[in-house]
Amino acid sequence: MEDISALIKEAKPLYFARKRRNRIIKGAMGVMACFFLINISLLKPQEELYDSWTQQLYITESGSVIEDMGLPVDEYGLLMVG
């Protein structure tokens, strides 16, 4: 029994040091991931985002994809059945 308690006393500081080190590493990786994602979002030009938005808006306003395929559609651009 004394051997086990001596082993626990010896391993206790090592266990908590490893636990603290792992927590610091995980925190640092989380901060790096946040900075990386923010950096990626800031590097993308705003004009490119605006252009893609206007292109999607134009596609939506110009008609439906189903109508472009030649299928029958109603006044809302939905597929007409029957």
Side-chain angles (χ1 to χ4, degrees):
M1 193 66 163
E2 291 177 16
D3 294 335
I4 294 174
S5 64
L7 184 63
I8 291 174
K9 284 182 185 178
E10 183 181 343
K12 185 176 180 179
L14 298 174
Y15 172 76
F16 285 115
R18 180 180 291 159
K19 190 174 180 180
R20 181 173 177 257
R21 185 181 67 233
N22 287 342
R23 188 175 39 221
I24 290 172
I25 290 171
K26 287 178 186 176
M29 293 297 286
V31 169
M32 286 174 46
C34 288
F35 280 129
F36 180 72
L37 292 174
I38 289 171
N39 193 15
I40 286 176
S41 67
L42 292 178
L43 285 178
K44 191 169 190 176
Q46 296 299 323
E47 295 85 22
E48 184 178 319
L49 291 174
Y50 181 72
D51 289 341
S52 66
W53 171 256
T54 55
Q55 183 182 12
Q56 290 296 327
L57 189 62
Y58 176 74
I59 289 171
T60 305
E61 288 177 348
S62 66
S64 76
V65 176
I66 299 171
E67 186 178 14
D68 293 341
M69 291 172 56
L71 297 171
V73 295
D74 59 3
E75 65 270 8
Y76 301 109
L78 300 173
L79 180 64
M80 195 178 329
V81 179

